[in-house]
Amino acid sequence: MATKIGMMDSAYFVGRSEILAWINSTLQLNLSKVEEACSGAVHCQLMDSVHPGAVPMHKVNFDAKSEYEMIQNYKVLQDVFNKLKITKHIEVSKLVKGRPLDNLEFMQWLKKYCDSVNGGHLHNYHALERREACKGGKEATKRAAATQQSAKSSSSSSSVAPRPSSSNGTRRHDPPSSNTGSHHSSKAPSSKQSKPVSPAYDEKITELKLYIDSLEKERDFYFSKLRDVEILCQNPDSENLPLVGSIKRILYAADGEDVGAAAETQNLSPIDEGSEERRSSGIESQKRKLIANLDEMDNKKRQEDGSNVVVVETTEQRSSAGKGPEQRKIEVVHQSHPKTSGGVLVGAAAAVESTLESAKQVISKK
């Protein structure tokens, strides 16, 4: 079924004239505009044509003029959708306003659905009889018949060929007759008849209406986005931020007021502070990595030059209040440098060790 079709489906590329021809031939009506079906009665009867008996036609009102009466028709249509398990959402608030684009899109979807049921073939559907059970159905049928009759008469009158003129460009003079006044009286009303409106103008007007409708939808879309931004800026957790203040100034700025420079300075200050903090933290991390790399290189070099490393073991004595002297072993590591002799530290360590031994002997004698 065609209950779920995308906006790029071929159904939404069906033209207005094709939609009108389908409605008029199926229901024996004479609609000239798609938005004339905004009352919802036509939609209900189209569903009745593909699902006979599913629509309670006695509840449908073809004479609906107010939005309240139209909404009752759409309630009937929604009940039919629920009964047939059709998940199509009906935007009633837009359809009852008679907007050409909204009504065209919904009618395009409805045609796609009706074509998908039994291949679009109707079996012995009597549109006039089914419409007579509706409120205002007989009047709608009469209006359609009167419109068709007037259209036929206007087309026949416009198809009458004008009187041919003579070849030399002069008007042919008819012989005088006694009823000249009657000729003038018969020609007078025909000269006052209004000329029929060109179909090109009607098509142009419809295109302009569709264009205006699309602009209104685009305006409503961007207005809803701005409203969402405004609600977000009014959040107590973020309304005191400088960036939110700049957004509010842009939203509430009057015509001609220049708020670009102020907003730019307000927006840049927190961004610069954050970037400065990130930059300083990155430098610190690079320093730590560099120190770690230097330590690792120093250890490797020390392991490679193990023959030049001198380790002197000695003891260290410490005393603290309430405790006796404590001894522990320590190692003094000395690595020779190419510019020094390398024996200074070794000698100093030996002297310290001898001094400590002598001090130990003195303490033990006491």
Side-chain angles (χ1 to χ4, degrees):
M1 292 297 180
T3 57
K4 294 182 180 180
I5 57 177
M7 289 303 297
M8 297 305 295
D9 193 270
S10 59
Y12 290 106
F13 293 93
V14 179
R16 180 184 62 90
S17 58
E18 185 177 351
I19 292 291
L20 290 173
W22 169 67
I23 296 173
N24 293 331
S25 62
T26 303
L27 304 183
Q28 298 182 22
L29 292 172
N30 193 22
L31 301 182
S32 59
K33 298 178 182 179
V34 178
E35 54 269 26
E36 292 179 5
C38 64
S39 65
V42 174
H43 305 90
C44 292
Q45 191 172 8
L46 287 172
M47 290 297 297
D48 184 69
S49 65
V50 293
H51 297 287
V55 182
M57 295 298 291
H58 63 280
K59 295 183 180 180
V60 180
N61 185 4
F62 268 86
D63 198 23
K65 296 293 188 296
S66 64
E67 290 190 4
Y68 173 76
E69 294 174 337
M70 295 178 184
I71 290 173
Q72 301 305 315
N73 289 335
Y74 283 107
K75 285 183 179 180
V76 175
L77 183 63
Q78 186 64 60
D79 292 338
V80 175
F81 279 10
N82 296 335
K83 186 188 301 183
L84 299 174
K85 296 181 180 180
I86 299 174
T87 59
K88 173 66 175 176
H89 175 65
I90 305 175
E91 297 181 350
V92 181
S93 60
K94 295 182 178 179
L95 294 175
V96 296
K97 295 184 183 301
R99 293 181 177 179
L101 186 60
D102 295 324
N103 283 273
L104 178 61
E105 288 179 356
F106 187 75
M107 197 62 74
Q108 287 171 337
W109 174 89
L110 190 58
K111 184 179 186 304
K112 177 72 173 181
Y113 175 80
C114 293
D115 291 342
S116 64
V117 179
N118 298 326
H121 299 292
L122 304 179
H123 301 286
N124 299 325
Y125 181 72
H126 303 285
L128 299 179
E129 295 179 3
R130 293 292 294 170
R131 192 159 54 243
E132 287 181 357
C134 305
K135 181 181 178 180
K138 294 181 179 180
E139 289 76 6
T141 303
K142 291 178 181 179
R143 288 195 300 268
T147 308
Q148 290 177 357
Q149 187 67 25
S150 60
K152 288 180 181 178
S153 60
S154 62
S155 61
S156 61
S157 61
S158 61
S159 61
V160 175
R163 179 182 298 176
S165 59
S166 59
S167 59
N168 57 0
T170 60
R171 189 177 64 177
R172 186 184 62 180
H173 295 279
D174 295 331
S177 60
S178 60
N179 55 355
T180 308
S182 62
H183 280 290
H184 287 292
S185 61
S186 62
K187 290 180 181 179
S190 63
S191 62
K192 293 181 180 179
Q193 290 181 354
S194 60
K195 296 181 180 179
V197 181
S198 175
Y201 287 108
D202 191 12
E203 189 72 22
K204 187 66 176 177
I205 292 172
T206 305
E207 289 179 1
L208 291 175
K209 286 183 179 179
L210 293 175
Y211 179 68
I212 292 172
D213 200 6
S214 64
L215 289 179
E216 289 180 354
K217 292 182 69 174
E218 185 176 1
R219 178 202 62 189
D220 296 340
F221 172 77
Y222 285 112
F223 179 79
S224 63
K225 294 298 180 184
L226 290 175
R227 178 57 182 159
D228 294 339
V229 172
E230 184 181 23
I231 293 173
L232 184 63
C233 292
Q234 292 173 355
N235 190 1
D237 298 334
S238 60
E239 63 178 353
N240 296 325
L241 296 177
L243 181 60
V244 175
S246 301
I247 295 174
K248 285 183 178 180
R249 279 192 292 273
I250 294 174
L251 287 176
Y252 303 137
D255 293 339
E257 184 178 353
D258 187 13
V259 294
E264 185 178 359
T265 55
Q266 293 291 336
N267 292 339
L268 288 177
S269 55
I271 296 175
D272 288 343
E273 292 175 1
S275 60
E276 187 67 27
E277 292 176 359
R278 289 193 296 270
R279 192 182 299 111
S280 60
S281 62
I283 293 174
E284 290 296 332
S285 62
Q286 289 180 358
K287 285 182 180 180
R288 287 194 293 270
K289 289 180 180 180
L290 182 59
I291 292 172
N293 292 333
L294 290 175
D295 292 340
E296 186 178 357
M297 292 174 62
D298 190 24
N299 292 333
K300 288 182 179 180
K301 187 175 181 181
R302 185 177 296 176
Q303 292 176 1
E304 292 176 358
D305 300 339
S307 57
N308 296 329
V309 176
V310 178
V311 180
V312 179
E313 293 185 359
T314 182
T315 57
E316 179 184 14
Q317 293 188 0
R318 289 185 178 183
S319 61
S320 58
K323 294 183 180 181
E326 298 178 357
Q327 295 183 0
R328 67 173 186 174
K329 293 183 179 181
I330 60 173
E331 293 182 354
V332 179
V333 181
H334 173 64
Q335 183 178 2
S336 61
H337 196 271
K339 294 184 180 180
T340 61
S341 59
V344 178
L345 187 57
V346 176
V352 170
E353 184 177 8
S354 62
T355 304
L356 289 174
E357 289 294 335
S358 61
K360 188 192 302 183
Q361 292 176 2
V362 172
I363 292 171
S364 62
K365 287 180 180 180
K366 292 183 179 181

